[in-house]
Amino acid sequence: MPALASLEKDTYGDHGVDEDNNGGHEPIREENIYGTDESGFFPEGGIRVRVIGARGKKTQHQQSDGGRENTTVIVTICTDGSSLKPAVIYKGQSYHVKLGYSKKGWTDGEIGVEYIKDFHDQTKAKAEGHTRLLLVDGHNSHYTLGFLLFTRNHRIHVLCYPSHATHVYQGLDVVIFGPLKLFWTQEKDKWLCEKRTKVDKTNFLRIYGAAHSHVLTLENIRAAFRRTGTWPFDRSVVTTEMMAPSLETSCQGYLPVQPTTPVRAVT
């Protein structure tokens, strides 16, 4: 398919190589190919799970702290099965020591620049001066001038997944984030039951870290790249059916409450 052909050529070159500083060519090494994505975590709620409750009772309630403050975690994985230390973004109005922040707890342009600097610091020793490749989605924080200038000056190639296709190509979405949310819910519930204290900035990393360690294993990380056909590169993984547009399931809309005249006549 055209999207896959473009991905193959742009990622690995015509023959899986990249131009070096001397005008020659060198392979982009397996240990220098990374994928990154972010996911939000809330103190309250979580994924749906099956529970055991009283017979005849339709609804089973579980106590939580009711917090709705979003905390974003940026996860970065490598094709060799390793992962970087996660970057955590808290909601706030000002910087906290060693913590990133944004007004809504989401990634923005400034944090994007700080992230790529941290990425460089964590990967430059392993790269040994060779080119690194970073696979990203279309979030605007990956394409600010500061972000792109930094990557250009430090031999980091940035490649964006095709639009509306991260559910197919993004290994973190396909393999990692589902189990990560499951273990996050379990660790959070365990904390609330044992400690009887709410989840906040002071204990988030301790709770999240346990879930992160459970999921970010060598086998899972390699599966994230393999199941999306990214590494080893495999066109057959992504089929035409997987990239087909959504089918229309309804051609008539319905209002939940019948409006009064003259609105009814207009609709």
Side-chain angles (χ1 to χ4, degrees):
M1 291 183 295
L4 283 175
S6 176
L7 177 65
E8 179 184 28
K9 184 173 181 179
D10 291 345
T11 304
Y12 310 111
D14 291 329
H15 303 287
V17 296
D18 176 60
E19 188 172 344
D20 63 23
N21 288 333
N22 298 319
H25 291 83
E26 63 170 357
I28 296 181
R29 300 178 177 181
E30 177 184 2
E31 65 269 20
N32 289 335
I33 300 176
Y34 297 86
T36 188
D37 197 11
E38 63 182 56
S39 189
F41 295 83
F42 293 90
E44 187 217 357
I47 65 171
R48 283 192 173 189
V49 294
R50 293 184 180 273
V51 298
I52 299 175
R55 183 178 181 180
K57 195 173 182 181
K58 294 183 178 180
T59 304
Q60 305 295 333
H61 296 282
Q62 181 179 19
Q63 185 176 1
S64 66
D65 66 3
R68 297 296 298 169
E69 183 174 295
N70 179 62
T71 299
T72 297
V73 179
I74 305 177
V75 180
T76 305
I77 56 177
C78 180
T79 49
D80 65 1
S82 63
S83 63
L84 305 187
K85 297 176 183 178
V88 181
I89 305 169
Y90 297 95
K91 181 180 179 181
Q93 297 291 334
S94 59
Y95 280 107
H96 192 283
V97 178
K98 296 184 180 180
L99 304 180
Y101 84 101
S102 71
K103 291 184 177 180
K104 294 187 177 181
W106 302 330
T107 309
D108 58 22
E110 288 186 34
I111 290 179
V113 173
E114 294 304 314
Y115 163 77
I116 197 61
K117 291 178 180 178
D118 182 63
F119 170 84
H120 173 65
D121 289 341
Q122 291 194 58
T123 60
K124 62 182 178 181
K126 186 169 71 169
E128 297 179 335
H130 296 283
T131 300
R132 287 157 285 174
L133 175 67
L134 181 62
L135 303 171
V136 300
D137 60 20
H139 194 280
N140 57 16
S141 64
H142 302 140
Y143 306 104
T144 63
L145 180 60
F147 186 99
L148 295 177
L149 284 176
F150 187 91
T151 59
R152 182 174 183 178
N153 291 333
H154 294 85
R155 300 196 69 188
I156 302 170
H157 289 188
V158 179
L159 179 63
C160 178
Y161 295 107
S163 300
H164 311 296
T166 55
H167 66 290
V168 174
Y169 291 119
Q170 174 56 276
L172 286 162
D173 284 340
V174 174
V175 175
I176 301 296
F177 283 153
L180 184 57
K181 290 293 181 75
L182 172 62
F183 279 103
W184 155 255
T185 300
Q186 293 176 353
E187 292 295 334
K188 178 190 61 178
D189 292 345
K190 179 181 177 182
W191 175 272
L192 293 173
C193 290
E194 293 180 355
K195 304 296 183 180
R196 298 292 178 180
T197 57
K198 68 178 183 178
V199 179
D200 56 23
K201 297 180 180 69
T202 63
N203 54 40
F204 176 86
L205 288 177
R206 181 176 178 181
I207 302 167
Y208 170 81
H212 187 96
S213 299
H214 273 297
V215 178
L216 272 294
T217 63
L218 183 146
E219 293 78 11
N220 286 345
I221 293 171
R222 285 183 170 172
F225 289 100
R226 184 177 64 253
R227 286 182 56 184
T228 54
T230 306
W231 185 272
F233 186 80
D234 185 359
R235 292 170 180 263
S236 65
V237 171
V238 180
T239 64
T240 302
E241 290 74 18
M242 294 169 66
M243 300 301 295
S246 301
L247 298 177
E248 186 177 293
T249 57
S250 176
C251 59
Q252 185 175 358
Y254 295 91
L255 295 175
V257 178
Q258 185 73 355
T260 59
T261 311
V263 176
R264 184 187 307 156
V266 174
T267 57

